[in-house]
Amino acid sequence: MSDQRPAISALQVEQRTFPPPAGFAEGAVAADPGVYERAAADPEAWWAEQARALEWSTPWHTVCDRSDPPFFKWFVGGALNASANCLDRHLATRGERVAYHWEGEPGERVAITYRDLHERVCRLANGLKSLGVGRGGRVAIYMGMVPELAVAMLACARIGAAHTVVFGGFSAESLRDRVNDFAATVLITQDEGWRNGRTVPLKQNADAALEGAPGVAACVVVRRTHGEVGWTPGRDHDYADLVAAQDPACPPEPMDAEDMLYVLYTSGTTGKPKGIVHTTGGYLTAVAATHRMVFDLREDDVYWCAADIGWVTGHSYIVYGPLANGCTSVMYEGAPSTPGKDRLWAIAARYGVSILYTAPTAIRMFMKWGPEHPAAHDLSRIRLLGSVGEPINPEAWMWYREHIGGGRTPVVDTWWQTETGAIMVSPLPALSTTKPGSASRAMPGVSVEIVDEAGHPVGDDQGGYLVITEPWPSMLRTLLGDDERYVATYWSRFPGRYLAGDGARRDRDGDLWLLGRIDDVMNVSGHRLSTIEIESALVDHPTVAEAAVVGRADPTTGQAIAAFVTLRAGVAGDEALIGELRDHVAKKIGPIAKPASIVLTDDLPKTRSGKIMRRLLRDISEERHLGDVTTLANAEVVAEIAEMAQAQRSAEG
Ligand code: WT7
């Protein structure tokens, strides 16, 4: 009996559908529905075709080497250079085209062409060589969203050094640990960053980190704010001085397809962060191909991925994918609320942004702020919207389409991970009939399955574990220095298949619905429920901007559903509203999903990449001592929420 119980019960029912807008398919990158079958018939041939869109100095002899699973290799024998593919390749045809329209938080505007970017990269590449970095070298980068961050990554790639970018919001200790684990010999940073009208002390943090990182011999410092910073003579180098002295040409190193391009650290459920290793040929192939197809990239598009380059979203879809495709991007340095809550929309209007890619957490924040902010700007050039990072609540999806997309644009909900390197599941905007909250289906050439505890595929509308069943070119190759943990984390639960760690279900039309991380699943009266569905039912209520749901231990039901809700701007919360919200969930999903308690709060605890930290809410709900909150973007809300939860418990007696 018990093994017939679904791995995760999926209860949400969403019936709205949106076919591609009339005319959208005309001239679209992926307009032939046969693309899925063609790729499925021979995935390696499909990926080889995508790889041929790049420039290789030596052709590969084997598309995918499967002799030592799960250590797969792609485009074996091939050689290429990532920076040459992102820059040099475009100079003859589009050298004067803008690569980045960069805007600083205080308001500076700079248009950087492909030719400018190429020269900047060459100069820094030569500068790095002068500091002893070459093929196989390791460089850490700790910066805000300034153009020099992209330049630094590409300069490393040019000379065959691997980079690790550490998000500029991380602390000195996080930086130190990553720099040491990576064995970087050079750190590139800046004096200070701009965020919310305040300065972020990057160099000061770097100095503190380097005290515990003896392997770093040189620190290159970009002057951004020109604020006063400490200086260690001999170790520290002014970026401007370093590059001014260099030759503006630097031949790209031909790299093996399987040479390491970068490591990006991502937190695991326990212990030390995992160093996700990405290599050159397969990664660049997949990010370029997915960027073209998912965003239906056309010659006159102005594309804006409003993420931070410190996350994989920025690596793949601000730097490597867009540049490999020679596209024009927008890059913005600062906070979306500075100087006003319409900053992003002012930027989008100014540059005529046609494609916007952002995260559900940002979309819910825009909802909370109200539609008058985007309405104040001309967003009529926008023709496509993307979402990434978390399951998107259907109402957030609808709001995004309506208020940012003018009710006319497709929305592509893209599922992927730091580990996957590139988008794995997404609609293709000219082909897919989308549904609010569904990520649609696996990309051409990608095979996913949803399985139960025993690894058997589940039926339609049954929740289960999302696995990827075949290797793909941009897959992580290992965890830096820890092959064993790589195998244990991703390949042991269901041998031969990659465990993503997310729950999902497939509906009768074959569309996938992501149900959140497996560790967030609740068990209420023997039903395993996903947090996202209940959260989406709450967000469906017109007063709610954002919701987080966790299971708290309950003597009767195993776990009881505890909800934390943020209301939209101007809504006052009271007991009556809480009762209404509970009933709303019962009506949308069923009585089993009715939250036992709802705490109204001004904000939810989030990681710095914007994901809701349900673990902390669980601790609060179960009155546990709150562990480390330093990885939070907004640690101050935690005490506030704990207090309100406590007050509610005493009120209930
Ligand atoms: C986790 C990976 C992918 C770049 C940013 C995050 C969640 C991501 C979606 C989506 C539902 C999503 C998953 C995944 N996630 N995109 N469209 N729908 N969930 O990278 O920090 O490595 O996080 O983010 O839980 O496993 P990451």
Side-chain angles (χ1 to χ4, degrees):
M1 199 31 217
S2 71
D3 18 319
Q4 275 164 17
R5 189 172 284 160
I8 304 169
S9 302
L11 305 169
Q12 182 183 331
V13 184
E14 170 61 57
Q15 267 147 1
R16 290 167 288 199
T17 58
F18 296 88
F24 197 94
E26 215 173 294
V29 173
D32 168 16
V35 69
Y36 290 104
E37 272 154 53
R38 190 156 68 79
D42 191 346
E44 289 191 13
W46 164 262
W47 285 117
E49 185 183 321
Q50 307 312 312
R52 279 192 287 272
L54 300 176
E55 196 174 86
W56 297 75
S57 49
T58 309
W60 62 88
H61 54 72
T62 304
V63 176
C64 181
D65 174 352
R66 300 163 180 253
S67 59
D68 182 23
F71 300 93
F72 299 97
K73 295 192 179 103
W74 282 83
F75 307 115
V76 185
L80 76 170
N81 181 283
S83 100
N85 271 283
C86 290
L87 302 168
D88 309 45
R89 192 159 56 103
H90 306 311
L91 294 183
T93 53
R94 54 183 70 196
E96 311 323 315
R97 184 180 186 143
V98 173
Y100 293 116
H101 288 289
W102 178 81
E103 193 161 312
E105 191 184 77
E108 309 92 317
R109 293 172 204 165
V110 185
I112 302 167
T113 65
Y114 275 90
R115 197 172 306 285
D116 297 335
L117 194 59
H118 176 261
E119 183 180 329
R120 289 194 193 205
V121 167
C122 286
R123 283 182 183 276
L124 181 61
N126 286 326
L128 289 172
K129 282 189 192 168
S130 77
L131 298 174
V133 183
R135 274 186 94 94
R138 302 268 175 103
V139 175
I141 304 173
Y142 179 63
M143 301 176 85
M145 284 285 286
V146 293
E148 289 84 353
L149 168 50
V151 171
M153 294 162 74
L154 294 164
C156 292
R158 194 161 193 90
I159 60 176
H163 57 72
T164 193
V165 178
V166 179
F167 172 56
F170 277 135
S171 65
E173 294 91 285
S174 306
L175 175 61
R176 181 198 57 207
D177 294 347
R178 287 160 171 78
V179 162
N180 286 334
D181 190 74
F182 189 57
T185 62
V186 171
L187 173 66
I188 307 176
T189 186
Q190 63 189 73
D191 49 9
E192 299 166 311
W194 280 115
R195 189 82 198 167
N196 275 315
R198 288 188 294 271
T199 55
V200 182
L202 293 165
K203 174 62 161 63
Q204 192 184 313
N205 291 343
D207 284 339
L210 292 186
E211 274 175 34
V216 174
C219 178
V220 180
V221 185
V222 173
R223 305 282 186 176
R224 168 66 184 112
T225 63
H226 299 273
E228 195 140 336
V229 292
W231 205 259
T232 304
R235 184 196 71 185
D236 294 351
H237 302 261
D238 186 299
Y239 181 102
D241 294 343
L242 179 71
V243 299
Q246 304 300 327
D247 190 332
C250 172
E253 280 292 317
M255 301 305 290
D256 190 279
E258 281 297 324
D259 276 336
M260 190 192 291
L261 180 61
Y262 69 80
V263 167
L264 189 58
Y265 287 88
T266 181
S267 44
T269 37
T270 53
K272 106 184 200 324
K274 300 179 284 197
I276 307 293
V277 175
H278 282 296
T279 57
T280 308
Y283 174 81
L284 203 61
T285 295
V287 296
T290 52
H291 180 253
R292 272 193 310 274
M293 294 179 68
V294 170
F295 299 110
D296 183 39
L297 197 67
R298 317 228 188 157
E299 267 311 307
D300 52 357
D301 273 318
V302 177
Y303 162 87
W304 186 11
C305 169
D308 193 291
I309 292 177
W311 310 115
V312 74
T313 305
H315 281 60
S316 298
Y317 297 109
I318 298 177
V319 180
Y320 289 110
L323 295 178
N325 288 328
C327 105
T328 295
S329 291
V330 168
M331 181 173 168
Y332 169 55
E333 176 182 42
S337 52
T338 304
K341 288 180 172 147
D342 64 341
R343 181 64 186 269
L344 298 196
W345 318 123
I347 294 173
R350 178 151 42 248
Y351 302 104
V353 166
S354 59
I355 304 169
L356 178 69
Y357 191 29
T358 187
T361 181
I363 298 164
R364 293 186 303 252
M365 184 174 69
F366 305 145
M367 284 171 78
K368 190 159 105 182
W369 289 347
E372 63 274 22
H373 302 293
H377 298 274
D378 177 10
L379 302 181
S380 60
R381 295 276 303 273
I382 294 184
R383 64 177 196 91
L384 181 59
L385 296 172
S387 171
V388 61
E390 279 184 292
I392 182 164
N393 319 95
E395 284 322 302
W397 192 105
M398 291 296 294
W399 191 97
Y400 193 30
R401 183 175 189 278
E402 188 60 35
H403 295 287
I404 310 302
R408 46 167 217 283
T409 68
V411 175
V412 289
D413 174 12
T414 65
W415 177 88
W416 57 296
Q417 308 176 297
T418 305
E419 291 87 338
T420 69
I423 294 168
M424 296 281 104
V425 177
S426 170
L428 292 178
L431 292 172
S432 311
T433 290
T434 55
K435 301 170 187 164
S438 166
S440 213
R441 56 187 289 188
M443 289 291 289
V446 174
S447 318
V448 304
E449 194 50 83
I450 301 169
V451 300
D452 64 15
E453 298 285 350
H456 301 307
V458 300
D460 287 351
D461 279 327
Q462 306 271 298
Y465 302 103
L466 181 68
V467 296
I468 307 179
T469 58
E470 291 293 328
W472 65 100
S474 59
M475 64 194 300
L476 77 167
R477 296 306 193 260
T478 188
L479 299 177
L480 187 65
D482 203 343
D483 288 350
E484 235 169 81
R485 190 176 176 196
Y486 166 64
V487 176
T489 308
Y490 304 105
W491 299 94
S492 307
R493 179 75 191 267
F494 304 115
R497 288 171 287 181
Y498 170 85
L499 178 75
D502 283 350
R505 82 178 155 97
R506 200 192 319 253
D507 68 19
R508 266 154 229 190
D509 305 326
D511 287 317
L512 294 168
W513 299 76
L514 275 301
L515 299 173
R517 299 293 300 168
I518 297 168
D519 8 304
D520 287 338
V521 168
M522 302 172 294
N523 193 320
V524 182
S525 305
H527 297 277
R528 249 180 280 174
L529 304 177
S530 92
T531 53
I532 179 65
E533 296 187 316
I534 301 167
E535 289 163 4
S536 290
L538 286 162
V539 176
D540 178 72
H541 193 276
T543 62
V544 175
E546 189 157 45
V549 155
V550 298
R552 88 167 119 78
D554 183 280
T556 320
T557 57
Q559 282 187 314
I561 299 169
F564 298 81
V565 166
T566 303
L567 299 173
R568 291 201 194 190
V571 180
D574 55 17
E575 277 309 310
L577 179 62
I578 289 179
E580 196 179 314
L581 294 177
R582 296 180 67 228
D583 291 343
H584 188 72
V585 175
K587 197 173 91 216
K588 290 285 294 187
I589 301 187
I592 178 80
K594 195 167 173 168
S597 62
I598 296 181
V599 172
L600 301 177
T601 160
D602 288 341
D603 207 355
L604 295 168
K606 307 243 175 82
T607 64
R608 286 169 207 264
S609 63
K611 290 193 208 309
I612 297 172
M613 281 264 274
R614 294 183 185 75
R615 176 177 62 74
L616 267 173
L617 294 173
R618 242 176 349 249
D619 290 346
I620 289 173
S621 303
E622 298 183 342
E623 300 178 70
R624 249 195 310 280
H625 172 71
L626 300 180
D628 184 16
V629 297
T630 54
T631 57
L632 284 186
N634 52 353
E636 67 288 349
V637 305
V638 174
E640 206 175 294
I641 298 173
E643 227 166 83
M644 291 168 63
Q646 176 62 43
Q648 195 178 67
R649 274 192 298 267
S650 21
E652 283 163 3

